[in-house]
Amino acid sequence: MAAAMRLVNKKIFTPGMGQHYLAFTTAAQVYSAGIKASQALPETVKIVEVGPRDGLQNEKVVVPTEAKINLINMLSESGLTVIEATSFVSPKWVPQMGDQVEVMKGIKKKPGVSYPVLTPNLRGFQAAVKAGASEVAIFGAASELFSKKNINCSVEESLQRFDEVMKAAKEAAVPVRGYVSCVVGCPYEGKVAPEKVAHVAKRLYSMGCYEISLGDTIGVGTPGSMTEMLEAVSREVPVSALAVHCHDTYGQALANILVALQMGISVVDSSVAGLGGCPYAQGASGNVATEDVVYMLHGLGIKTGVDLLKLMDAGSFICRALNRKTNSKVAQAACKL
Amino acid sequence: MGSIPTTVKHCLSYEQLFEDYPWLRRWLQEEKIITEHEYPKFVKIVEVGPRDGLQNEKEIVPTGVKIQLIDMLSATGLSVVEATSFVSSKWVPQMADHTQVLQGIQRAPLTQYPVLTPNMQGFQDAVAAGATEVAVFGSASETFSRQNINCSIDESMLRFQEVINAAKERQIPVRGYVSCALGCPHEGRIEPSKVAEVAKRLYEMGCYEISLGDTIGVGTPGSMFKMLQMVKKDVPIDALAVHCHDTYGQALPNILTALQMGVSVVDSAVAGLGGCPYAPGSTGNVSTEDVLYMLHGMGIQTNVDLNKVIEAGDFICNALGRRTNSKVGQAKSGTL
């Protein structure tokens, strides 16, 4: 039998021809060498909606608490399963998040939907839990200079600070999501080494974060640098625990998300209406728009559970409240039809 | 003992087959090394700003400005700059100065300046004005063809055959466009087989390259993939180009998909000039700057200087009194 197999194999199983000649199987779905473009894409993608936190945090106009709560409630109805609600940082640093407790207590929590909040330190964590948070997030940077300029300490020091938060979260059985910023480029350091990103991601993952979101903070990534970085990180952290957080500052976000999906990533962060600009490039955009991401995913036959029309309603609402135009191309195009 | 023979096990489960022959996975490419996409080493950019871009801008731009724009684009290293369109000025007032533009530009030695020629009249005027490359526009949608150029696809092909024949006699290369390749504002979904049919006709009639246009920007990597899969059965991949609109923000991932499938010619417009007549206020053409940023970031060569394209974009946006549609342009002007 083995001899027969070998004979058959020699004749039939040459590279690239496998798709036609799997004589001994019935159920194999083999992709031909030509169809590189659409294979092994995840069947479903989880969208992590960061508009109410990352988005609003980077908007100049301070939005009333009621509007924030309404936005989150509308997003809850659109089918999203993760909505980053607010941030327990000191309002001295981030005035937009000053109403963190009221927002957390005021939203209608939909069953099956998670509402993570940022907790930069133990105090923030305690306040978050007190306000009813059941998932939190911590932020590390892959760039030393960015860490120093942003939170006034080295990357290592920041990870040690988070240790406290991790311990407390474990005791309270609160899951923690880890963010790594500047994964392809830093406004101060320029190009960031993929190994550094892998190192920080690995630290956060081994500290206990259930998921690591890799953020292209200034949007300079392209499918080239994205692939390089993801290859390095996925050697240290399982791909199923990775997410991408792409900024659209140079218009590269959707292309970057596509290559990430092709590499097995199935969690994508985005912001309704593309809320949130870029503090390092005035007037430029920041977060990629959830509507545009969902449009692409649905066009690829990937399930998200999100109702695009309801999502667009939430986007129109918050843009009216902010008195600004949406950053989502889908929203811009669709509302004219 | 009743043990199942190995071959039967293999028949019932290819997973079992892979367990017993682990090297099979590699051979059958089941566990594809996704990262090893073979991208083209070089991509030719076809700059359509001065024609497709300006044609869809409301502001009529003076001839001198058009000429200066084209000259600036020629200096960036672009090897193809679509200069103007020999259509009746009654239909497209922006292109009324086609002859002056074509005669006024300073042609870079290695750059082509194709012009649109929808019919014999246009072709003859173009040749008289010195055109050395022309383009014809077909549609994959019957309704779009009738609404846009007032005739069926078949009738338009007859018209184009005339032009192509005349061009052949003069050894003037002809580029073919297929619009509505991924969707039509009137018909909605367009069958990939229809796109393939029209592309094949244009190619067999004598067009050296076929540019597949997502006219209303509704395509996604999913539909782009399906459409290209069909078209490349009938037209060689290196004779294909993609002309993506960014109306729904999908242009760059669509272009990326096309590159992954072997396409190496991309149409784009400086500063993302040109809106979408079917979604007023929305964008149309993808920006050359954003495309270049992506290609260069992937190590793909284009021979085009991005900074000079940004300058050309700034120039034309000033002249039009509007902001650039290019995200790269917006970011560069705002970066501290």
Side-chain angles (χ1 to χ4, degrees), chain B residues 154-174:
Chain B
D154 281 340
E155 285 163 356
S156 73
M157 292 292 143
L158 289 172
R159 264 186 224 174
F160 300 148
Q161 186 70 79
E162 275 192 297
V163 172
I164 294 173
N165 289 344
K168 266 193 200 136
E169 279 175 33
R170 288 183 155 72
Q171 289 171 340
I172 290 179
V174 183

Side-chain angles (χ1 to χ4, degrees), chain A residues 1 13 18 24 26 29-30 35 39 220 222 231 248-249 251-252 254 262-263 282-283 295-296 329 333 336, chain B residues 7 10-11 27-28 30 32 34-35 37 218 225 246-247 249-250 252 260 280 282 293-294 297 323 327 334:
Chain A
M1 196 60 241
F13 294 111
F24 293 115
T26 50
Q29 273 184 39
V30 184
I35 323 179
Q39 46 206 343
V220 289
T222 63
E231 265 172 359
D248 206 31
T249 317
Q252 308 295 306
L254 285 186
Q262 291 175 337
M263 292 183 75
Q282 291 229 7
Y295 186 91
M296 180 174 81
K329 291 230 163 146
K336 306 297 189 301
Chain B
T7 40
H10 293 165
C11 277
W27 284 69
L28 299 176
E30 267 255 343
K32 195 151 307 293
I34 313 276
T35 57
H37 283 295
V218 289
F225 172 77
D246 207 31
T247 318
Q250 308 295 307
L252 285 187
Q260 289 176 350
S282 295
Y293 189 90
M294 181 173 82
R323 228 187 146 200
K327 290 239 163 144

Side-chain angles (χ1 to χ4, degrees), chain B residues 47-55 69 73 82 268-270 273 285:
Chain B
E47 171 58 49
V48 300
R51 199 279 310 165
D52 193 9
L54 289 183
Q55 185 170 304
L69 171 65
L73 291 169
E82 208 178 52
S268 59
V270 62
L273 289 179
N285 289 304

Side-chain angles (χ1 to χ4, degrees), chain A residues 56 59 61 63 67 71 74 271-276 289 291 311-329 331-332:
Chain A
L56 290 183
E59 291 284 333
V61 174
V63 167
L71 172 65
M74 287 182 86
S271 173
V272 64
L275 291 180
E291 298 93 317
L311 180 64
M312 278 169 26
D313 283 344
S316 316
F317 165 75
I318 192 62
C319 286
R320 276 195 307 271
L322 284 164
N323 195 21
R324 58 161 282 181
K325 244 187 132 194
T326 181
N327 265 340
S328 154
K329 291 230 163 146
Q332 279 169 31

Side-chain angles (χ1 to χ4, degrees), chain B residues 63-297:
Chain B
T63 309
V65 171
K66 288 190 183 105
I67 290 173
Q68 190 171 347
L69 171 65
I70 295 171
D71 288 345
M72 286 180 86
L73 291 169
S74 298
T76 63
L78 284 161
S79 60
V80 186
V81 179
E82 208 178 52
T84 186
S85 179
F86 283 79
V87 295
S88 159
S89 50
K90 196 174 47 161
W91 299 118
V92 188
Q94 180 79 276
M95 299 286 127
D97 54 4
H98 40 60
T99 304
Q100 296 94 303
V101 168
L102 199 52
Q103 291 180 337
I105 55 175
Q106 255 166 13
R107 297 187 189 216
L110 297 173
T111 305
Q112 275 295 338
Y113 300 89
V115 298
L116 240 68
T117 52
N119 48 38
M120 272 312 285
Q121 180 67 58
F123 177 75
Q124 281 154 357
D125 292 343
V127 170
T132 48
E133 185 178 320
V134 299
V136 296
F137 249 86
S139 167
S141 153
E142 274 299 344
T143 317
F144 189 82
S145 189
R146 283 180 203 275
Q147 299 264 9
N148 219 36
I149 51 174
N150 228 358
C151 65
S152 72
I153 296 179
D154 281 340
E155 285 163 356
S156 73
M157 292 292 143
L158 289 172
R159 264 186 224 174
F160 300 148
Q161 186 70 79
E162 275 192 297
V163 172
I164 294 173
N165 289 344
K168 266 193 200 136
E169 279 175 33
R170 288 183 155 72
Q171 289 171 340
I172 290 179
V174 183
R175 188 183 207 235
Y177 281 89
V178 182
S179 54
C180 295
L182 296 176
C184 169
H186 314 291
E187 287 183 19
R189 194 183 130 73
I190 295 289
E191 283 300 324
S193 52
K194 186 72 186 180
V195 183
E197 185 194 310
V198 178
K200 184 180 181 181
R201 280 179 79 174
L202 286 168
Y203 186 67
E204 285 174 349
M205 277 173 12
C207 293
Y208 77 92
E209 193 169 88
I210 311 296
S211 172
L212 305 163
D214 181 11
T215 307
I216 48 171
V218 289
T220 63
S223 53
M224 173 62 88
F225 172 77
K226 289 195 182 106
M227 184 274 293
L228 283 176
Q229 230 190 340
M230 202 54 102
V231 177
K232 70 182 201 174
K233 286 190 195 141
D234 292 325
V235 181
I237 198 83
D238 46 15
L240 291 177
V242 287
H243 183 112
C244 298
H245 277 199
D246 207 31
T247 318
Y248 290 78
Q250 308 295 307
L252 285 187
N254 289 345
I255 290 168
L256 185 67
T257 302
L259 296 176
Q260 289 176 350
M261 294 182 76
V263 172
S264 61
V265 183
V266 175
D267 297 3
S268 59
V270 62
L273 289 179
C276 179
Y278 303 97
S282 295
T283 52
N285 289 304
V286 66
S287 317
T288 304
E289 298 91 318
D290 298 0
V291 173
L292 286 174
Y293 189 90
M294 181 173 82
L295 296 176
H296 293 176

Side-chain angles (χ1 to χ4, degrees), chain A residues 256-330:
Chain A
N256 291 344
I257 290 169
L258 183 62
V259 292
L261 296 176
Q262 291 175 337
M263 292 183 75
I265 300 219
S266 59
V267 184
V268 175
D269 298 3
S270 58
S271 173
V272 64
L275 291 180
C278 180
Y280 304 97
Q282 291 229 7
S285 56
N287 288 304
V288 66
T290 307
E291 298 93 317
D292 300 359
V293 174
V294 169
Y295 186 91
M296 180 174 81
L297 296 176
H298 289 183
L300 279 164
I302 295 173
K303 296 193 184 70
T304 61
V306 177
D307 180 334
L308 182 53
L309 292 174
K310 290 196 175 146
L311 180 64
M312 278 169 26
D313 283 344
S316 316
F317 165 75
I318 192 62
C319 286
R320 276 195 307 271
L322 284 164
N323 195 21
R324 58 161 282 181
K325 244 187 132 194
T326 181
N327 265 340
S328 154
K329 291 230 163 146
V330 169

